[in-house]
Amino acid sequence: MKKRYLSLLLIVLISFRLSAQEWVVPAENGAKLSPFAFSDSTRKAGAVLFQTNCKSCHGDPGKNNAIALVPPPPDPASAKMQGNSDGALFFKLVSGKGPMPSFKNTISSTDLWRVISYIRSFNEKYVQQIAPKSGIAGAAENVKVLLTWSKETNQVQAVISAMKEKRIQPIAGAEVKLFAKRYFGNLLIDEARNTDAQGKAIFNFPKDLPGDSAGFVQLSARLTDDAAFGEAKADTTLAVGVPTYRPPLNEQRAMWNVVQKTPIWLLLAYIFTVLAVWSFIFYVLLQIRAIYKAGINKNQDTIDS
Amino acid sequence: MSSEVNTDFLHDKRLDAIAADLLRPVGISKGFLIWMGFLTISLMGCIYAYYIQWDKGLIVTGLRDYVSWGMYIANFIFFVATSLVGMLISSVLGLIGFKWVKPIARIAEIIAVAFAAVAGLVIVSDMGRPERLPYVFMYGRIQSPILWDVTVVTTYMVLSALLYFIPLIPDLAISKGRMGHQPKWLQATYEFLSVNWNHSSYQYKILLKAVRILLILIIPTAFAIHTVTSWLLAVTLRPGWDSSIFGPYFLTGAFVAGSAAVVIMMYFVRTNYKLDKYLTVYHFDMMGKLLVLVSIVYLYFNINEFLVPAYKLKTADAIHLHELFVGEHAMLFWSVQLLGLILPIILLLFKFFRKPFPMLVISIVVLVAAWFKRYIIVVPTQENPFLPKQFVPHAWMVYQPTVIETAITMGTILLAVIIITILFKLFPVIPIWEMAEEECSGEKDKHQE
């Protein structure tokens, strides 16, 4: 028994040490910069994202009301948080560590930069550096992603094109990821693929992915390198999943449902019992009335008045 | 209760003597005013404490995240428990045909009415937003034991009140002509409440029928009220509450508390109202035997309730039982079990301890222990939840009742005492007509002197 406790203690201590370890950011990731300039609109969008994704742990910036986790989530306004370079913040959001989740697949990188722009708004000394435009210069805004599904092969095809030299051209060699939207976050389908010379990337679709009641699945294809391509992505809903009907938990009559959905037997038992008992009570009240009535006529022979 | 009333007593001289005896304590005396004044002033203090709670919320109590049912719910269970004795004495013993319960039945019924009525208020004291009380009826769920509890407590209270009132009607009529010295409003009240009673055998027949219905009806209702109260705890998975015998465990415990309360009241009536002719040593002896009986049954359930989990020692139960047997609550637990249950059983087996005064002392101990027993049932379980929360301040994990909370709880007890006092003082506590009928028809129990 003692031994068990000791080893438990050891495990706890080790994991404690592990999680207390420095969060190392590789130099190249640390040097990464936002592809766009932070503005009021990015901060506003970032604030909304922060409210829904981060506040539950990190609390309100500047208020030091993060929840008590080990290690503690630093306050976004704190020197610890702000001491990170933009690239380091981005890296940490993408990779996650310990209780801090990875947002790689749940928040697009553009949105992550928006959150960072919001975090930076709590640092007066911060001056932003923007990444030099790279890749297909000047074409970033016009990237198009087209998603189609081939039933025979059960494959989803993404075609990427962009305006280049005033012509629509396929983009070759760009990394594309395909996601299916699930209740919590996005599920990576197949693996990241690079487009071929025609700008095509083909993903093998699983046969057993549950869709909605008609089999529809929300798909989203994204280009990984959004420094080069901006927020290029395509969202489509395709009937590629297995039709699944999950009755809502509150659909049927149940003990734990609302009163309108009381189980019938219980409803009847309750009503019947209450009515039965109270009809007797009512009957007894009528008897008091009967006593009263019987007394009216014969009041004169009351013995003591 | 016999099936027919022999109305010969109405023309018997002995009725006058009995009525004079039993009506002597009735009325507004100086002692009553002083006692009521004392009670009222104390109650004002408690109401002030409630005002603070109303204003500031439950934060002024010791209730926190872990222990959200503290003294209040323990107190609620105690009230419901004590009120059950009305059913035990009048119905169970009365229907079996024990004559000695006749002078005691009304006392038991008064306790039932007072405690059931205040029980509802006790629940309100536990509410952080009492103004939302109507929501129980507007949005209550039939699936919830809370709604069942509201239903049965209300029903039980109405039944007890009727069972108090209906057998009182002939007494009111008998008393009407004998209260010349009483204030006008009291005479008018008697007149009004006696609903034209003229002692005709027809009226007696109706009365007996109504009472019989009530006596039978109140048995399942009383079982329901305390079983449902126990379910409020037992339908959860918590160690210490997750028990299939919680219904009978509560019910038998209730009889112990209620019987003790009746003995205390009997002693009071006997000495203060000088009615030792009606509440004799014999009655105390019988109540003593009743108390032993119900205590032994309760002990049996206690053994089941603690021995079985203690044999298996499932993880959560082990923590809970450790707390009770040797931990934080051990002192209280063993005091309650020894002083409130085991010692009374041993003592009451001897005739000497079934005499009025020893019975009074024992009953007070039993009743106080009964209150703390409810506390032991409610609080320790919550201090050791299945899923402890992380980083909860220590003060939120243990329960420390505050002065305000204690005062509010005292207030509810005062309120019950006030109701009992008023009913004791305004109406005869011992049924005149039943005593007279018994005396005149020579049916008196032979043991009785």
Side-chain angles (χ1 to χ4, degrees), chain B residues 249-355:
Chain B
Y249 176 53
F250 269 43
L251 202 68
T252 49
F255 292 152
V256 176
S259 303
V262 166
V263 172
I264 296 170
M265 290 304 151
M266 278 168 66
Y267 187 86
F268 173 82
V269 171
R270 177 182 153 95
T271 48
N272 275 46
Y273 293 174
K274 316 237 160 12
L275 294 178
D276 40 358
K277 231 191 318 175
Y278 301 88
L279 293 173
T280 62
V281 175
Y282 167 73
H283 290 105
F284 280 85
D285 188 57
M286 293 312 275
M287 278 308 288
K289 286 176 178 163
L290 178 68
L291 193 50
V292 177
L293 175 69
V294 291
S295 297
I296 288 175
V297 178
Y298 187 43
L299 177 66
Y300 167 71
F301 277 102
N302 268 278
I303 291 171
N304 275 278
E305 179 60 23
F306 291 107
L307 193 80
V308 175
Y311 190 89
K312 293 182 283 192
L313 276 193
K314 288 185 280 186
T315 320
D317 284 342
I319 299 170
H320 177 64
L321 291 176
H322 184 273
E323 284 299 298
L324 292 188
F325 292 169
V326 286
E328 199 71 40
H329 299 281
M331 197 44 205
L332 192 55
F333 177 80
W334 290 112
S335 316
V336 161
Q337 297 293 51
L338 293 175
L339 298 177
L341 197 53
I342 295 174
L343 198 63
I345 291 179
I346 296 172
L347 293 182
L348 288 175
L349 289 177
F350 299 97
K351 196 170 173 85
F352 170 78
F353 288 101
R354 296 198 299 268
K355 298 231 175 316

Side-chain angles (χ1 to χ4, degrees), chain B residues 41-339:
Chain B
I41 289 169
S42 317
L43 186 66
M44 296 298 237
C46 303
I47 290 176
Y48 179 66
Y50 186 70
Y51 168 75
I52 296 176
Q53 179 180 310
W54 171 283
D55 192 41
K56 301 240 159 63
L58 286 178
I59 194 73
V60 300
T61 68
L63 302 170
R64 290 295 180 269
D65 285 36
Y66 270 35
V67 181
S68 55
W69 283 359
M71 202 186 234
Y72 290 150
I73 297 297
N75 193 38
F76 168 70
I77 299 175
F78 171 78
F79 267 75
V80 175
T82 310
S83 78
L84 282 209
V85 75
M87 177 281 273
L88 176 69
I89 303 268
S90 322
S91 293
V92 177
L93 301 181
L95 284 175
I96 290 174
F98 286 118
K99 295 241 160 45
W100 61 267
V101 299
K102 277 193 183 176
I104 303 172
R106 193 170 288 164
I107 296 177
E109 229 44 78
I110 289 174
I111 291 176
V113 172
F115 278 77
V118 180
L121 277 183
V122 177
I123 280 291
V124 177
S125 74
D126 190 54
M127 295 176 69
R129 301 288 300 265
E131 78 278 9
R132 292 187 180 170
L133 184 64
Y135 289 11
V136 175
F137 306 96
M138 290 155 63
Y139 310 114
R141 295 166 59 253
I142 293 184
Q143 297 99 311
S144 162
I146 293 190
L147 193 85
W148 311 344
D149 210 45
V150 172
T151 314
V152 282
V153 171
T154 319
T155 309
Y156 183 74
M157 202 190 82
V158 171
L159 283 176
S160 299
L162 285 173
L163 211 41
Y164 169 69
F165 170 63
I166 293 183
L168 186 67
I169 298 175
D171 277 5
L172 295 171
I174 293 173
S175 314
K176 254 184 341 196
R178 304 169 202 266
M179 339 212 313
H181 57 292
Q182 298 291 6
K184 275 270 165 333
W185 62 265
L186 190 57
Q187 296 192 28
T189 310
Y190 271 57
E191 178 66 46
F192 174 74
L193 289 179
S194 63
V195 290
N196 280 338
W197 186 268
N198 57 19
H199 300 284
S200 68
S201 52
Y202 176 65
Q203 282 181 330
Y204 270 112
K205 224 167 93 187
I206 300 180
L207 179 131
L208 288 188
K209 182 170 68 175
V211 168
R212 185 168 290 266
I213 291 174
L214 292 174
L215 285 179
I216 294 171
L217 206 55
I218 204 165
I219 295 176
T221 311
F223 270 67
I225 170 178
H226 217 39
T227 307
V228 170
T229 304
S230 84
W231 286 349
L232 296 180
L233 299 99
V235 292
T236 66
L237 265 176
R238 288 163 173 260
W241 293 353
D242 179 17
S243 158
S244 57
I245 61 161
F246 240 43
Y249 176 53
F250 269 43
L251 202 68
T252 49
F255 292 152
V256 176
S259 303
V262 166
V263 172
I264 296 170
M265 290 304 151
M266 278 168 66
Y267 187 86
F268 173 82
V269 171
R270 177 182 153 95
T271 48
N272 275 46
Y273 293 174
K274 316 237 160 12
L275 294 178
D276 40 358
K277 231 191 318 175
Y278 301 88
L279 293 173
T280 62
V281 175
Y282 167 73
H283 290 105
F284 280 85
D285 188 57
M286 293 312 275
M287 278 308 288
K289 286 176 178 163
L290 178 68
L291 193 50
V292 177
L293 175 69
V294 291
S295 297
I296 288 175
V297 178
Y298 187 43
L299 177 66
Y300 167 71
F301 277 102
N302 268 278
I303 291 171
N304 275 278
E305 179 60 23
F306 291 107
L307 193 80
V308 175
Y311 190 89
K312 293 182 283 192
L313 276 193
K314 288 185 280 186
T315 320
D317 284 342
I319 299 170
H320 177 64
L321 291 176
H322 184 273
E323 284 299 298
L324 292 188
F325 292 169
V326 286
E328 199 71 40
H329 299 281
M331 197 44 205
L332 192 55
F333 177 80
W334 290 112
S335 316
V336 161
Q337 297 293 51
L338 293 175
L339 298 177

